[in-house]
Amino acid sequence: MNVPACASLCMGALMSCEHIERVVKARGFIFDMDGTIALGDAASGGHKALPGAIELLALLRKRGTPFRVFTNGTAKAPAAYAASLRNAGFDLGDDEMMTPSSSAAIWFRKQGLNRVRVLGNDGVAAPLRALGIETLGASEPGDVDAVYTGWFREFSFPDLEAACQSVWEGARLTTASHVPFFATATGRGIGSSFAINKMISAMTGKQAKVLGKPSRTAFDAAVHAMGLPRSAACDIVVFGDDPALEMRMARGAGAMGVGLTTGLMKRENLASLVQAEQPHLLVDDLTSIVRALA
C-alpha cells in the first residue's frame, strides 16, 4: 500500500499503517457474532446485521480469504446460527460457523473422553454427537468421562447433584464458556454456564476447563477449520466486542485483536483493561475495515 493511500485511511478510520498492513495481509479472520457482526433481533427471533459486517464477509469471500464466525453461545447448533445469519443477509456456510461445542468435541476426541454428561440443550450436545462423542443428559444415570456445561436455562437441583457426583467420581469438569455476560440488543445477558460452573465448583472444589473462547483450544480449532497451520496464529485477525473473550484469545495466541464498540467494549473503559484484554485496534463498526481491505 502506498504512503498517500495509507495516510488517507489512517485519518479516516484512526488506523495506523501497521494496523492496516496487518489486516490486509491476514491469512484468516475469526469473528464473534453477538455484538460484533450482528445482534439478536427480538422481533424476529433471528439476527440483525451490524454496520459493515455483511460487506466485510462478502469482501473476504471475493478475496478468497478464509474466515470463521465463532460465537461463544451454545443455545443452538452451529448450523442453526448460520441459517439465522443467512436470513440477516450474510453469505455464510454452515461449516463457517462455530460454537464452543465445535472445539470441545475436537478436544474430547483428542483426550480420549468419549462419554460426556452434557448440562445443556440440544444445541450444546449436537456438535459432540456429530464427532461420535456419546452424550448423557444432565441428570441421566451413568458413568461419564467428563461433565460439560453450556447454555442451560432449564438447570435444576437434580442436574447439580448428578454433575457433582460425576466430578466426585473422577470426571473432568469442562465448560463452553465461563464469562458472566454477553451482548444482546436490549443490553447484557447472563451466561448460564458461568452460574452453573460456580455452583459445581463450590461443591466439588474443581474449576471448569474452558473449551470455548478465550481458550487456545478454541482458537486452534478455528484456525484448523480454515485449513491453516497452528504456526499461522500471528497472521490471524480476531474481531470481537468482549475484552475477556476475543481480545484475550487473540493476545494469548499472538494474533491481532480488533475490538468493536457495538457490544460490551466501550472506549471509556479501555484504560481499566489489563494488557491481556487490550485490543490492538478499536473501531466503532466494521466499515473502516471494509475500506482498508477494499
Side-chain angles (χ1 to χ4, degrees):
M1 178 177 291
N2 60 47
V3 174
C6 183
S8 175
L9 281 169
C10 289
M11 289 186 291
L14 299 179
M15 296 169 63
S16 72
C17 291
E18 179 184 354
H19 289 146
I20 294 173
E21 183 176 14
R22 196 166 180 184
V23 170
V24 170
K25 293 184 176 180
R27 297 175 63 185
F29 292 79
I30 301 172
F31 296 92
D32 176 45
M33 183 175 69
D34 294 308
T36 300
I37 65 169
L39 284 175
D41 184 4
S44 67
H47 286 87
K48 183 177 181 180
L50 286 166
I54 291 175
E55 295 80 4
L56 179 53
L57 266 61
L59 183 56
L60 294 178
R61 178 84 69 208
K62 183 178 180 180
R63 289 166 56 95
T65 305
F67 61 85
R68 287 296 182 273
V69 176
F70 197 133
T71 178
N72 230 37
T74 49
K76 301 176 182 177
Y81 282 123
S84 181
L85 290 175
R86 284 194 295 271
N87 289 337
F90 288 91
D91 178 8
L92 182 72
D94 288 352
D95 61 337
E96 293 172 318
M97 185 77 218
M98 299 181 69
T99 73
S101 292
S102 305
S103 52
I106 296 171
W107 187 83
F108 287 138
R109 286 290 299 273
K110 288 182 177 180
Q111 299 296 316
L113 305 175
N114 299 313
R115 190 172 162 88
V116 178
R117 180 178 305 284
V118 177
L119 275 67
N121 60 19
D122 191 63
V124 181
L128 275 60
R129 292 197 294 264
L131 274 192
I133 306 296
E134 183 181 357
T135 63
L136 271 68
S139 56
E140 184 179 345
D143 298 331
V144 294
D145 302 316
V147 172
Y148 178 58
T149 68
W151 182 261
F152 196 33
R153 294 300 178 96
E154 302 80 14
F155 181 74
S156 67
F157 200 85
D159 301 331
L160 175 63
E161 291 179 315
C164 289
Q165 188 61 43
S166 292
V167 173
W168 286 326
E169 292 174 355
R172 293 287 302 271
L173 178 58
T174 63
T175 185
S177 173
H178 193 63
V179 292
F181 305 110
F182 60 96
T184 72
T186 56
R188 66 182 188 180
I190 296 176
S192 61
S193 56
F194 178 87
I196 295 170
N197 295 338
K198 284 291 189 180
M199 286 186 276
I200 298 175
S201 294
M203 295 301 299
T204 65
K206 301 294 184 180
Q207 299 300 315
K209 179 178 177 60
V210 178
L211 300 177
K213 296 181 295 187
S215 71
R216 185 63 190 261
T217 298
F219 180 87
D220 287 346
V223 171
H224 179 75
M226 289 188 284
L228 298 171
R230 197 171 191 265
S231 59
C234 61
D235 297 319
I236 304 298
V237 180
V238 180
F239 292 83
D241 71 297
D242 193 331
L245 290 182
E246 293 83 33
M247 299 307 101
R248 184 173 283 275
M249 183 173 76
R251 287 197 176 267
M256 178 183 181
V258 179
L260 276 295
T261 62
T262 45
L264 298 177
M265 200 179 310
K266 304 301 177 186
R267 291 187 182 277
E268 58 268 25
N269 298 332
L270 283 186
S272 65
L273 298 178
V274 298
Q275 181 63 27
E277 297 181 352
Q278 288 281 348
H280 293 90
L281 172 67
L282 184 66
V283 296
D284 292 324
D285 56 52
L286 293 170
T287 56
S288 57
I289 305 299
V290 173
R291 287 197 298 268
L293 287 174

